[in-house]
Amino acid sequence: MASADAPRPPWQGRRIVLGVTGGIAAYKSVTLARRLTRLGAEVDVVLSRSSREFVTPLTFEAVTGRPVLTDLFSVDGAARHIRLGREADVVCIAPATADFIARAAQGRANELLTTTLLVTRTPVLLCPAMNDRMWAHPQVQANAGHCRERLGYHQLGPVAGPLAVGEGDGPGRMVEPEVIVEHLGRLLGGGGILEGRTVLVTSGPTREPLDPVRYLGNRSSGRMGFALAAAAWRRGAHVTVVTGPSALPRPEGVEVVPVETAREMDAAVRDRVGEADVIVYAAAVADFRPVRAEERKRKRSRDGEGWAVELTANPDIASGTKEHRKPGSVTVGFALESEDLLSNAADKRERKGFDLVVANPAGEPDAGFEAETNRVTLLGSGKPEELPLLPKEAVAEMVLDRVEALLRGRV
Ligand code: CTP
């Protein structure tokens, strides 16, 4: 079964040095190492001396399948840290303790991890974790500031939340592994043509109210739209997603504009579409809404009478915003079809002014609504490209590869 955790860009085949220093959050770094490995990265874990009070090399070796480095003064330790630092695509220190941040700021070389930092020229991500009063201390702040401003390190967190030891009011807690994975993804995935561009995505279902408690909706989970938004953000874009109700976690780094109805989605898209370099219409918009939403909850009728609801057409958001798009922008639409997949998709491409249509058959198991995977055909100006059954996250990467190619053709 294809899974969201399967190897995929931008992590796949990339080299990540994960430095773990001595804080209780070190246990979360095991999850971090595991996720990165499952996404296809080669993760070289470097443990500081004090981290080994909390976690063992064996734990990390088991989840990464690679030897863990601990000792600078072993026979090959010194040569290995130079190689590691030079070959890494990104270095992440999680958790980064107050003591480690102080040593990093000073450029110390007293153990493997700090020496690795001195040789690397790749992006470094620090994920601090400590007692909240320690984090608030002016010297810790000065050290972290020096790492950011003078050394150019990226810093993620800490965030407020329950701490092992702490007052718990201020920030001190390490950000969660999933969030670190996404930020590493952005450090690995940026630098292309989407860097600094504006991307607008519509996502999820819409809900059309019948009365205050009932609505007409559809089975869209929002997974495909969120996957596209997340992938565009990792490629360095400023991303806004206009989304109908979705139970999924919001994509990291993305501006989320929550809406309920098709008309709200239409208004939110109209406000933003003129600024976007890329527009992806991934929402499953309800084509119809009840003519009238009742003000009070409709009571069950005593005599068993039914409820006939009259529906009226909703705006077609993609077609209606065609004229407002920025000249030169690239537009992607979706086509969910029960029959004549390619001819219907080609017709939608023409009618709605899409550069690329992601077409998928309705009613197929493991694809489309509510599924984690999708089987799609990409339809641009050339030959249709049929993709295999893939996790939606992998489909999103392939769609954005095509979007980048189209953007490159326009500059
Ligand atoms: N779309 C939209 N606004 C609508 C309906 C659809 O913006 N009211 C967009 C979808 O986000 C998608 C594309 O148009 O990118 C096609 O959606 P789809 O539901 O496949 O097609 P419909 O326009 O609803 O046409 P039909 O019902 O004939 O299949």
Side-chain angles (χ1 to χ4, degrees):
M1 172 64 197
S3 121
D5 253 0
R8 62 184 156 94
W11 303 275
Q12 187 170 15
R14 308 298 290 278
R15 302 201 56 167
I16 299 175
V17 171
L18 173 59
V20 180
T21 69
I24 183 61
Y27 80 92
K28 290 193 195 171
S29 302
V30 179
T31 306
L32 175 61
R34 182 165 189 271
R35 280 228 60 201
L36 292 169
T37 304
R38 294 191 62 160
L39 288 164
E42 290 180 12
V43 184
D44 285 306
V45 176
V46 182
L47 294 181
S48 76
R49 218 168 291 131
S50 55
S51 76
R52 280 172 273 154
E53 301 290 333
F54 299 91
V55 282
T56 71
L58 186 61
T59 321
F60 285 100
E61 284 183 5
V63 298
T64 64
R66 297 171 69 83
V68 166
L69 291 100
T70 52
D71 195 359
L72 180 61
F73 302 107
S74 64
V75 178
D76 65 349
R80 278 176 76 191
H81 86 263
I82 304 262
R83 212 179 57 228
L84 260 190
R86 290 178 73 105
E87 290 177 359
D89 291 308
V90 66
V91 176
C92 173
I93 314 293
T97 59
D99 183 61
F100 178 80
I101 294 169
R103 287 185 287 120
Q106 285 179 348
R108 297 283 300 274
N110 60 337
E111 67 170 341
L112 194 52
L113 204 46
T114 43
T115 36
T116 305
L117 281 185
L118 295 182
V119 286
T120 195
R121 298 292 178 266
T122 53
V124 175
L125 180 67
L126 292 182
C127 304
M130 63 197 72
N131 166 277
D132 51 347
R133 290 178 73 92
M134 287 170 73
W135 175 249
H137 190 280
Q139 190 57 54
V140 176
Q141 286 297 310
N143 293 340
H146 185 87
C147 286
R148 288 192 307 269
E149 284 137 35
R150 184 77 184 85
L151 306 178
Y153 294 174
H154 301 267
Q155 180 194 309
L156 183 59
V159 290
L163 293 167
V165 186
E167 272 69 11
D169 309 334
R173 193 178 155 87
M174 189 172 88
V175 290
E176 293 302 317
E178 316 71 268
V179 177
I180 301 175
V181 167
E182 287 301 308
H183 282 259
L184 289 172
R186 186 160 158 112
L187 292 174
L188 292 167
I193 193 162
L194 277 174
E195 179 86 47
R197 300 293 192 115
T198 301
V199 175
L200 178 65
V201 180
T202 73
S203 179
T206 62
R207 279 183 186 173
E208 310 297 331
L210 285 156
D211 71 12
V213 297
R214 304 182 179 94
Y215 59 83
L216 283 182
N218 60 62
R219 295 177 185 276
S220 166
S221 63
R223 184 178 293 268
M224 193 65 240
F226 278 12
L228 281 155
W233 179 76
R234 288 193 298 264
R235 291 180 192 221
H238 304 290
V239 186
T240 302
V241 60
V242 179
T243 176
S246 168
L248 296 173
R250 293 174 167 211
E252 181 62 24
V254 168
E255 189 201 347
V256 177
V257 180
V259 295
E260 289 242 338
T261 66
R263 285 188 294 176
E264 286 168 14
M265 185 175 278
D266 190 47
V269 172
R270 275 169 194 272
D271 281 350
R272 294 165 177 83
V273 73
E275 308 293 315
D277 300 299
V278 177
I279 307 135
V280 184
Y281 296 95
V285 185
D287 285 318
F288 304 96
R289 66 172 183 277
V291 171
R292 200 170 66 88
E294 301 202 2
E295 265 169 40
R296 292 157 186 256
K297 182 186 168 222
R298 189 181 174 97
K299 301 291 272 181
R300 163 192 281 280
S301 143
R302 297 275 135 106
D303 53 14
E305 202 189 321
W307 180 9
V309 177
E310 193 188 342
L311 302 179
T312 184
N314 261 332
D316 179 336
I317 300 171
S319 301
T321 52
K322 199 162 126 181
E323 309 302 321
H324 307 284
R325 292 175 199 154
K326 186 170 162 178
S329 56
V330 168
T331 311
V332 181
F334 278 71
L336 182 65
E337 308 293 345
S338 310
E339 56 206 346
D340 302 328
L341 180 74
L342 288 184
S343 60
N344 279 330
D347 176 56
K348 274 178 198 166
R349 177 171 180 270
E350 187 62 37
R351 209 161 21 96
K352 304 197 185 207
F354 296 146
D355 295 294
L356 183 71
V357 170
V358 184
N360 58 315
E364 206 185 283
D366 298 332
F369 285 4
E370 292 179 314
E372 291 186 5
T373 49
N374 213 350
R375 188 194 308 283
V376 304
T377 301
L378 303 181
L379 195 74
S381 56
K383 219 168 119 247
E385 200 183 344
E386 210 175 310
L387 303 182
L389 185 72
L390 290 168
K392 286 182 175 171
E393 289 74 11
V395 173
E397 294 295 338
M398 300 186 110
V399 168
L400 288 185
D401 287 347
R402 308 309 181 272
V403 166
E404 289 198 333
L406 286 163
L407 270 178
R408 276 194 293 271
R410 281 178 197 184
V411 284

